[in-house]
Amino acid sequence: MIRYILKRLVLMIPVLVGVIFIIFTINYISPGDPLVDILGIEASAEQRAAKAHELGLDQPYLVQLGNYIWGIFTRLDFGTSYRTNRPVRDEVLERFPTTLLLTSLITCLSVPCGLTFGIVTAVFQNSILDYVVTFIALAGASMPQFWLALMLMLVFALTLGWFPAIGFDTPRHWVLPTIACGMLPISTLTRNVRSSMLEVIRQDYIRTARAKGLGELKIIFKHALRNALIPIITVIGFQVTSAMAGAIVAEQIFSIPGMGALLISSIKSKNYPSIQGNILWMGLMASIINLIVDLAYAYIDPRIKAQFTRRKAKATKKTAEAKAV
Amino acid sequence: MANENLIEIKNLVTHYITDDGVVEAVNGINLSIKKGESLGLVGETGAGKTTTALSILRLVPDPPGKIISGEIIYNGEDLLKKPIKEMRKIRGGQISMIFQDPMTALNPILTVGEQIAEVVRQHNDVTRAESHQRAVEMLEMVGIQGERAHEYPHQFSGGMKQRVVIAIALACNPHFLIADEPTTALDVTIQAQVLEMISELQKKLGTSMMLITHDLGVVAETCEQVAVMYAGEIVEYGTLEHIFNHTSHPYTEGLFGSIPSLDKSVTRLKPIKGLMPDPSNLPSGCSFHPRCEYATDLCAERCPVDTEIEPGHIVRCLKFEDGRHGEW
């Protein structure tokens, strides 16, 4: 298992290099000039040339890309922000805890809610309860996030005054953004869990469990849910990744100083190193979440776990053979 | 006491009510099984054999399945009237079932040991360790090494899985065992082994059994009583001797005509012409009449009733009604 994790971690490197390549190239070929933002519109041609030389923007594309990648892998240097002249690494790491907190809150809200609603609607299929919850889930999935965020703000911050409208300092500040961002994942999860549970409940082994005389709770939680979770884990992993990236909208609306806010302002001002650093960090997080998802599969499904151990067995056999030779 | 019926099914009717119409799977069957006896339930695919079995355990998927009427008397009590809580005590404990398809009948994410131990814990007051001990014993009883208890279903072959399913069914020493085509999914070589094992265990534990199959050979080897089912009805019912040597119903005759015989030399087998009728659209009168070579106009109009042509040998065919004894 550890061998597998190490292998996956090593495999992340080419993925991240790919991310760097794509985002760097998009930045390079996209129209607009960061020098205008840095020096202002009235700067002279000499000033611009000097600044471009200082930032390395006058060099050929491949040299720039090579230098960037070289800096990352040798010095963990993600470049310097054009705007603040501080290392991008520090800026991203400063903002990341806020985004991580928001993502965790969204996940902690949406996973239990989504699972509960999904199980309830599946178990009481075609009941009033099922219809009501399914309707709410559909509504939640159809509502644009920014609109929901604004409505929540209007009702709970401006009219009722229960929660502050902007900022992210105290737990009271966390409530509205979490609900605004959690609605879509709850709805998606509810519908996925429902269909997955309905699929599993029809399986023969559930009938076997019934024929053993087990009670409904045991059948649902021990036999059905664990099987239904296998496809759901993928959905949860995807939700966490998109919550991390998708908090951008909420961060803008609620003025949360997270990575999303930083990324938006970087894009606006053509702050290339900052954009690249943010995207790369998100890519890294997404890769790690995917790895966790794959490991969770193995934990739940013994058939997948068997593949890991088989691979390991094969590998030990190979080394043994190599030694024998 | 020896002659007392362990289970008695009276006029059982089970239908599947769907948007496209009512599927009449089981239409008024009567059966009884004595203690320690085995009954073979024979018929083509779709004759309602499995639905009958599921009805006994009240496991017919609802919706769309519904037990419309009838009684299932077990130990003097009607199972169909029991509250679900008491039904759960009977399922797996007193009446258990071996399912048809071993590939899908086991939960893929639980060890086979746990799947056996679970039913033991459900019906006996034992600790977790004791139940696992019992699971290992059961595995060994069905011919699987005890140390494989911690393995998962995907690590077993089809035949081995079927053995595990049998171990689950027998773990609580049931009084009544329903074996739903226990050998259909298996190789011929394994089939014989599994059947022999079931019979042996059944004798050892004194269990009554209902063996569902479409294989008359299997019935001849394992059962004392035979019920032939067609389109949700039992068309002929009697002892092995009655069915095999005094074959009376045209459908049973057809079944024998479609299997090769060792002592008669025929160049071609004689299958029953036509297909099983659609259970959502059964023919009028006797449901076998469109395929029956003896059918008359009367057969399309009148539903035959059970006629006892000799003690214990019941036939549902107009040919035998009103003292006709099979002659028109």
Side-chain angles (χ1 to χ4, degrees):
Chain A
M1 204 63 153
I2 291 166
R3 213 191 148 83
Y4 175 76
I5 296 172
L6 285 176
K7 193 174 154 195
R8 285 288 302 266
L9 286 173
V10 171
L11 276 175
M12 267 181 211
I13 295 171
V15 172
L16 293 177
V17 170
V19 172
I20 296 171
F21 171 74
I22 291 168
I23 191 67
F24 192 93
T25 310
I26 290 173
N27 272 339
Y28 186 83
I29 59 178
S30 64
D33 188 353
L35 296 176
V36 177
D37 280 286
I38 301 168
L39 298 171
I41 200 134
E42 276 141 36
S44 67
E46 292 84 56
Q47 276 175 309
R48 283 189 191 202
K51 194 72 188 173
H53 184 72
E54 186 196 322
L55 298 175
L57 291 174
D58 53 347
Q59 284 168 323
Y61 164 73
L62 279 178
V63 176
Q64 283 187 47
L65 178 62
N67 283 341
Y68 185 62
I69 295 177
W70 183 251
I72 290 171
F73 282 103
T74 53
R75 292 170 269 132
L76 282 179
D77 176 9
F78 292 82
T80 309
S81 169
Y82 294 163
R83 225 157 59 113
T84 56
N85 276 324
R86 293 177 57 217
V88 168
R89 188 185 59 206
D90 297 354
E91 287 204 321
V92 168
L93 288 180
E94 239 164 54
R95 300 289 191 109
F96 178 62
T98 308
T99 300
L100 185 66
L101 175 63
L102 183 56
T103 310
S104 309
L105 288 172
I106 295 168
T107 311
C108 289
L109 174 75
S110 61
V111 171
C113 287
L115 283 179
T116 314
F117 295 156
I119 293 167
V120 166
T121 49
V123 171
F124 300 102
Q125 191 195 3
N126 297 334
S127 67
I128 302 280
L129 190 68
D130 177 22
Y131 292 140
V132 171
V133 177
T134 309
F135 176 78
I136 295 173
L138 196 65
S142 326
M143 248 185 294
Q145 216 180 41
F146 68 89
W147 183 82
L148 179 64
L150 289 173
M151 288 302 122
L152 286 173
M153 234 182 203
L154 189 69
V155 175
F156 293 101
L158 293 182
T159 312
L160 295 171
W162 292 356
F163 302 105
I166 55 167
F168 207 62
D169 308 321
T170 65
R172 266 164 56 85
H173 287 91
W174 301 347
V175 177
L176 293 185
T178 308
I179 295 173
C181 296
M183 205 59 195
L184 182 65
I186 290 174
S187 309
T188 319
L189 263 181
T190 301
R191 290 183 304 154
N192 277 291
V193 171
R194 180 176 184 270
S195 65
S196 182
M197 278 295 278
L198 287 177
E199 172 85 31
V200 169
I201 283 173
R202 276 201 302 268
Q203 297 293 316
D204 284 354
Y205 52 79
I206 299 299
R207 192 178 61 187
T208 310
R210 287 225 162 83
K212 287 177 183 173
L214 301 182
E216 278 305 301
L217 281 180
K218 235 184 196 164
I219 290 171
I220 287 162
F221 286 101
K222 186 173 175 185
H223 288 267
L225 183 61
R226 278 189 62 192
N227 277 292
L229 271 183
I230 296 166
I232 292 305
I233 287 176
T234 321
V235 179
I236 293 177
F238 178 72
Q239 297 286 1
V240 175
T241 319
S242 59
M244 206 171 270
I248 292 174
V249 177
E251 285 182 5
Q252 287 289 304
I253 293 173
F254 292 101
S255 299
I256 299 167
M259 286 175 62
L262 178 65
L263 182 61
I264 294 284
S265 68
S266 309
I267 292 172
K268 276 189 202 150
S269 62
K270 296 250 145 221
N271 194 344
Y272 294 158
S274 189
I275 299 172
Q276 287 153 9
N278 267 293
I279 300 275
L280 190 57
W281 185 257
M282 283 179 185
L284 179 68
M285 287 302 119
S287 305
I288 290 174
I289 290 163
N290 280 339
L291 176 60
I292 293 171
V293 165
D294 285 354
L295 294 178
Y297 270 144
Y299 177 73
I300 289 191
D301 192 341
R303 285 163 294 185
I304 295 172
K305 196 191 239 160
Q307 285 173 1
F308 293 158
T309 39
R310 208 173 298 150
R311 203 174 291 159
K312 204 171 138 195
K314 223 189 258 169
T316 35
K317 206 175 144 200
K318 255 185 205 160
T319 40
E321 275 167 11
K323 270 180 196 160
V325 172
Chain B
M1 273 307 269
N3 277 332
E4 198 181 305
N5 288 331
L6 178 74
I7 196 153
E8 216 173 312
I9 302 173
K10 291 181 189 162
N11 277 317
L12 179 72
V13 178
T14 306
H15 290 173
Y16 293 99
I17 299 159
T18 66
D19 292 343
D20 305 325
V22 177
V23 179
E24 298 172 347
V26 175
N27 304 309
I29 67 164
N30 295 291
L31 275 180
S32 58
I33 298 167
K34 294 185 180 67
K35 277 188 180 135
E37 189 185 67
S38 340
L39 170 100
L41 190 58
V42 193
E44 284 169 275
T45 309
K49 298 169 299 195
T50 302
T51 305
T52 307
L54 291 175
S55 298
I56 296 174
L57 282 170
R58 286 182 37 203
L59 283 175
V60 181
D62 175 20
K66 267 246 149 36
I67 299 174
I68 306 285
S69 62
E71 287 175 14
I72 297 173
I73 312 288
Y74 170 76
N75 275 343
E77 286 179 285
D78 188 356
L79 291 183
L80 298 181
K81 293 204 178 76
K82 273 195 178 290
I84 190 72
K85 228 177 177 173
E86 279 180 49
M87 201 58 218
R88 280 195 195 123
K89 283 185 195 146
I90 290 174
R91 286 177 190 161
Q94 298 178 37
I95 304 180
S96 64
M97 184 159 171
I98 298 171
F99 288 99
Q100 195 168 8
D101 188 354
M103 299 300 171
T104 55
L106 294 174
N107 191 327
I109 58 165
L110 296 175
T111 62
V112 296
E114 171 59 21
Q115 295 191 51
I116 302 170
E118 183 180 51
V119 67
V120 176
R121 277 204 303 281
Q122 189 70 26
H123 298 285
N124 303 284
D125 189 21
V126 292
T127 63
R128 194 162 263 276
E130 282 165 349
S131 70
H132 278 274
Q133 185 54 43
R134 172 79 180 151
V136 170
E137 280 168 27
M138 283 313 295
L139 281 179
E140 277 166 1
M141 191 161 127
V142 296
I144 299 173
Q145 297 110 297
E147 59 261 35
R148 297 195 68 183
H150 66 270
E151 289 184 15
Y152 291 93
H154 71 269
Q155 289 161 288
F156 290 82
S157 67
M160 286 293 194
K161 275 187 209 164
Q162 186 60 278
R163 284 160 189 255
V164 174
V165 172
I166 292 168
I168 292 174
L170 293 173
C172 292
N173 297 334
H175 301 203
F176 182 48
L177 176 70
I178 305 168
D180 185 3
E181 311 213 7
T183 56
T184 311
L186 305 177
D187 289 342
V188 189
T189 46
I190 313 289
Q191 269 185 20
Q193 281 180 29
V194 167
L195 279 175
E196 201 172 308
M197 195 182 72
I198 294 177
S199 304
E200 228 165 74
L201 295 173
Q202 188 213 346
K203 273 179 201 119
K204 210 160 91 186
L205 304 171
T207 305
S208 307
M209 178 169 75
M210 182 162 101
L211 178 73
I212 299 176
T213 179
H214 50 239
D215 188 339
L216 283 163
V218 168
V219 170
E221 263 172 60
T222 32
C223 302
E224 291 109 46
Q225 295 279 323
V226 187
V228 181
M229 212 167 167
Y230 183 80
E233 288 176 69
I234 289 179
V235 293
E236 187 165 5
Y237 176 63
T239 61
L240 209 56
E241 162 82 9
H242 290 149
I243 305 293
F244 280 71
N245 295 339
H246 307 163
T247 313
S248 299
H249 195 280
Y251 177 64
T252 320
E253 239 173 65
L255 283 183
F256 281 110
S258 48
I259 51 173
S261 163
L262 283 180
D263 40 66
K264 267 182 266 168
S265 137
V266 280
T267 43
R268 264 182 184 279
L269 289 174
K270 207 174 129 213
I272 307 173
K273 60 179 190 218
L275 289 172
M276 189 81 172
D278 175 4
S280 61
N281 185 20
L282 290 176
S284 62
C286 170
S287 47
F288 186 58
H289 85 263
R291 299 172 73 185
C292 180
E293 49 183 306
Y294 307 104
T296 62
D297 294 343
L298 189 63
C299 292
E301 287 161 25
R302 232 174 83 191
C303 289
V305 292
D306 289 344
T307 314
E308 193 162 9
I309 55 169
E310 52 188 311
H313 187 184
I314 295 165
V315 180
R316 192 178 273 200
C317 176
L318 288 171
K319 224 156 60 112
F320 293 89
E321 279 179 31
D322 310 323
R324 269 194 289 268
H325 303 294
E327 306 295 329
W328 282 112

